[in-house]
Amino acid sequence: MKSFNTNFYMTRFFSYLAYAFCRFLSFLPLWVLYIFSDFVFFIIYRVIAYRKKVVNQNLRNSFPEKSSEEIRKIRKEFYHHFCDLFIETIKLWSISQEEILKRCVCKNPDFYLPYKDQGKSIIAITGHYGNWEWLSSLAIHVVGEFLPIYKPLHNQVFDKMYIQIRERLGAKTLAKNDTLRTMIRHKNQGHFTITAFIGDQTPNRGNLHYWTNFLNQDTPILQGAERIAKKLDQVVVYTKMTKIKRGYYEYEFIPITDKPKETEENEITELHTRMLEDIINENPSYWLWTHKRWKHKRNS
């Protein structure tokens, strides 16, 4: 007879409770959600100080030339944005196409058409900057498949929730471990795809192969997007997102190469890393500073 796993069922219960609460929040207007965001900001910034040591260390190491007051200002603006990011992501669950297209504007939505006409699919690289979740609205513009890659969550309830949120506007989420197999299948079937890679993920210890200077620090960079682009001969672009004001973003696609096989080793990886670095330096407050991006050291 199987034993009753109290912890398992309690976790499931509270997961479904959180699922229902987030679903409820998604139907509230954004102006109400931003009031809620301000309250959450007070809790995680003033009371809990969520990952404040990580954020402080990341900022000081990235901007050694900045004063303590400048670092404090960036940190506070980041936490405001971080809280907004949570409620804006939840809002994707119910936001209308009309509203998302007004709040998240693509400056060159037809960028893909010349490549599609050539029969070449696209790899779009971005980082944890601005509101990368709202980039799922690109699916509204694209005639073809928009495939954002994601890492499945251990909690099945939250995993289901995020898939529903990300796919609601037409994107088709692609689990990280299925990436290459799925992209090859689409290529063999003649499907046009835009596959979205997050280029600033931290590699696991088995993938610490390429290091570069990023934000004044020795940093390991994932090479997966470049390797797949060369293997499948796909166009590579960078997705640059800009936050205009609270709740409003613009993004555009900047060409990196349409001939990946002709590039030098690590050239694509280096180019998209430099693009992200430039964007962060323009306005540091909107990058994900809570991320333990530098947890690995070379030769460790």
Side-chain angles (χ1 to χ4, degrees), residues 223-251:
Q223 300 166 290
E226 175 173 338
R227 289 173 175 171
I228 293 176
K230 289 182 175 181
K231 182 179 181 66
L232 303 183
D233 194 28
Q234 295 198 354
V235 174
V236 184
V237 301
Y238 192 82
T239 312
K240 178 182 179 180
M241 175 169 266
T242 305
K243 185 169 185 175
I244 307 303
K245 60 181 180 179
R246 194 178 204 183
Y248 289 87
Y249 302 86
E250 286 182 350
Y251 63 101

